[in-house]
Amino acid sequence: MTEPILSINQLYTSFRVDGETIPAVEGIDLSLYPGEIVGLVGESGSGKSVTSLSVMQLLDETPGEVTGGEVLFQGKDLLKFTDRQKRKVRGNDISMIFQEPMTSLNPVLKIGKQLIEAIREHQRISQTEARKHAVHMLNQVGIPRSEEIMNEYPHQLSGGMRQRVMIAMAMSCDPKVLIADEPTTALDVTIQAQILDVMRNMRKEHNTSILFITHDLGVIAEMCDRVAVMYSGRIVEQGTVYEIFENPKHPYTKGLLGSIPKLGAKEDRLDSIQGQVPTVEDRPKGCKFANRCPFVMDHCWEEEPPLFDGENRCWLHEREEA
Amino acid sequence: MLKYSVKRILGMIPLLFVISLIAFMFVHLIPGDPARLIAGTDATIEEIENIREKYGLNQPLYQQYFDYMANLFQGDLGQSIVTGRPVLDMLVERFGPTLSLTLASMAWALIFGLLIGVISAVKRNKWPDHLSMFLAVSGVSIPSFWLGLMMIQLFSVQLGWFPTGGIGGFETYILPSFTLGAGVAAIIARFTRSSLMDVLKEDYIRTGRSKGLTEFKVINRHAVRNALIPVVTMSGLQFGFLLSGSIITETIFSWPGLGRLLINSITARDYPVIQSEILLFSLEFLLINLLVDLLYGFLNPKIRYEEGS
Ligand SMILES: Nc1ncnc2c1ncn2[C@@H]1O[C@H](COP(=O)(O)OP(=O)(O)O)[C@@H](O)[C@H]1O
Ligand code: SF4
Ligand SMILES: [Mg+2]
């Protein structure tokens, strides 16, 4: 079997707010193989963005800090890199696109300038060559009039076009890994489908591994090879898309699947699971899902289940095995 | 852009008209009689009447205003009651020193204000930030007369490096422009800091970092220009204030500018001079506002393009 390109091992990240430590990610294991699209799904607040920022090492400007574990990229631990080494990875080996295309581009700089900057940061090529490459990237993500767009400002483009620009920028140095944090959440459905298309094409052309973060299982089914379901800073279940959709084991996953919008229905919120995501202080001592789980047992409140077989964090699964 | 500017300038005319009326009324509300002041304490009633006659002060107010406006339209600002000289000449003479002092002060203020503001935003809550903000608070709260006198005491009297006052070569500008610029620098620094701190929270800053840019490039290319947009407006306003001439600083440093002219003409109830100065200050403010708006459009492409279409 091939080696994973990125592997997150026992990652812990917490935030210090007003002298208190808030654990946002608690012991995540996740691997990404070359050319693979892995979905990371979970309700808002489960720690998906924090996971991605931890991998990108972009927590410096927040009160957050990685407190344990390792993030191996091609076998080397990014967490041990110097600032300079980290910058060489960012945008070059691992790129990222974000949820808000409207605000993720600098409003006072032309599109071309922002693309060329990303290219020349990592490649020793002339301004003219970088410009040519930028136009090429814009064409690749399906932007019409790419030459003209180079001289336009972000506010002159629609949200979908801006997200295409973000993808072009992220892919411009041909990264091994692309992290996409809810890249289509802010877009309407038709645009969403187009952006997903662009990303699938990118994977095909560049053999890029994609960590695709979303709260929308419908998108996961369309995009991903494997899925990891996240809850309260943990991965509670993972497997291939087929396994998860055909035979979900964890009650939380079942709940999420139950709340996939039916064809034609407009509702896309994950609200069929009863109750709320508990705040950090209110998290149950044992299984973090205990207060919302329809199958909760006494034991669940007492002890947190481990990740059985590395794929399912629920005591019910242990009984099946027995 | 040119069309826009011309439109704005034409729009100023009615505004200046209203201002001239207000200035006229305001000036004539100042208690005291200029004729008596000029004539001196032992003047006869006849002498005072003569002076009134000469400057039209015996006319009804509306008549005085109409005469004033009629002359104004011919480019005649009238004559000073005190010196008898044309007001226009006096303003032109005083404008130069105030303008050059303002430019020198703004240069200090912008260099120090922006630098300190950026450093403290980048190093927020660390010692450079605390030091900068201590300086900024001092700059705002130290009265300029005190700062000016202290600087004269130290650098002119004790060390003898700079003259105590008067206008001349480069060295005469140092102390007064620093005195005047310190407060503005402090305001710009605080404004820049808070603006930059807001910008640093923006998504596109994170995008810049995710490209692998150094922190210097992130701040220099992506943050500062966005942060400057609101700072420009505020600096323009400060520039306008300085351009009216600082009464205190010009007095302390015997600077022959508009501020001292204003205080002198108010003391002497020199109506034509006061009126014209108020009108000049208003015009300055309006023009600076226009300049700020143009600069704003230059910094913010969104505004620029909306104007263009
Ligand atoms: N900048 C921050 N400051 C403090 N706490 C944060 C910050 N960002 C995230 N967190 C904490 O991390 C948790 C997970 O957030 P996040 O990863 O953004 O969730 P999501 O799965 O919706 O992307 C939040 O509930 C919050 O407690
Ligand atoms: S461990 Fe218990 S509470 Fe947690 S998901 Fe399984 S059954 Fe539900
Ligand atoms: Mg998120």
Side-chain angles (χ1 to χ4, degrees), chain A residues 202-222:
Chain A
M202 281 293 162
R203 188 261 295 256
K204 215 164 75 194
E205 306 242 336
H206 300 260
N207 198 37
T208 316
S209 313
I210 302 178
L211 180 61
F212 194 98
I213 297 175
T214 180
H215 64 265
D216 184 348
L217 272 170
V219 173
I220 295 273
E222 250 183 88

Side-chain angles (χ1 to χ4, degrees), chain B residues 67-251:
Chain B
D67 290 345
Y68 170 66
M69 288 310 284
N71 290 333
L72 196 60
F73 273 108
Q74 293 160 23
D76 179 8
L77 297 181
Q79 292 169 331
S80 160
I81 300 178
V82 178
T83 62
R85 295 181 53 206
V87 174
L88 188 61
D89 289 0
M90 294 171 71
L91 289 186
V92 167
E93 192 179 289
R94 296 298 188 111
F95 184 71
T98 288
L99 178 65
S100 55
L101 182 60
T102 296
L103 291 175
S105 309
M106 279 311 283
W108 283 112
L110 284 170
I111 292 170
F112 282 105
L114 293 177
L115 208 65
I116 289 176
V118 170
I119 290 173
S120 52
V122 172
K123 300 277 172 205
R124 64 190 158 285
N125 298 326
K126 305 210 175 86
W127 71 264
D129 182 26
H130 296 312
L131 177 67
S132 305
M133 285 307 109
F134 173 75
L135 286 175
V137 170
S138 313
V140 173
S141 43
I142 291 176
S144 57
F145 76 85
W146 188 83
L147 182 63
L149 292 176
M150 284 300 125
M151 301 239 291
I152 291 177
Q153 177 64 24
L154 181 62
F155 294 107
S156 308
V157 179
Q158 307 265 342
L159 298 169
W161 290 353
F162 306 110
T164 54
I167 185 171
F170 178 74
E171 70 284 357
T172 61
Y173 279 84
I174 307 283
L175 297 187
S177 64
F178 191 82
T179 304
L180 208 50
V184 181
I187 296 171
I188 292 178
R190 292 214 291 189
F191 216 78
T192 305
R193 175 179 184 265
S194 72
S195 171
L196 187 53
M197 276 170 55
D198 284 344
V199 167
L200 286 171
K201 291 190 198 114
E202 294 284 345
D203 288 345
Y204 54 82
I205 297 299
R206 188 185 52 193
T207 303
R209 294 195 179 112
S210 78
K211 291 191 218 177
L213 301 182
T214 59
E215 199 56 21
F216 179 79
K217 283 182 189 163
V218 168
I219 287 162
N220 194 32
R221 284 190 204 157
H222 291 276
V224 169
R225 183 152 164 211
N226 280 287
L228 278 187
I229 294 173
V231 175
V232 163
T233 314
M234 201 272 315
S235 304
L237 206 66
Q238 295 298 323
F239 187 72
F241 280 128
L242 293 191
L243 211 48
S244 311
S246 156
I247 293 172
I248 292 168
T249 308
E250 287 185 359
T251 306

Side-chain angles (χ1 to χ4, degrees), chain A residues 44-45 48-50 99 181-182 213:
Chain A
S44 151
K48 306 181 300 290
S49 296
V50 172
Q99 177 170 347
D181 188 357
E182 311 234 14
I213 297 175

Side-chain angles (χ1 to χ4, degrees), chain A residues 33-49:
Chain A
Y33 289 87
E36 186 185 37
I37 304 183
V38 173
L40 189 58
V41 68
E43 285 166 294
S44 151
S46 51
K48 306 181 300 290
S49 296

Side-chain angles (χ1 to χ4, degrees), chain A residues 250-251 287 289-290 293 295-297 300 305 314-316:
Chain A
H250 197 283
C287 174
F289 192 51
C293 180
F295 309 105
V296 61
M297 306 165 288
C300 304
C314 172
W315 289 120
L316 289 171

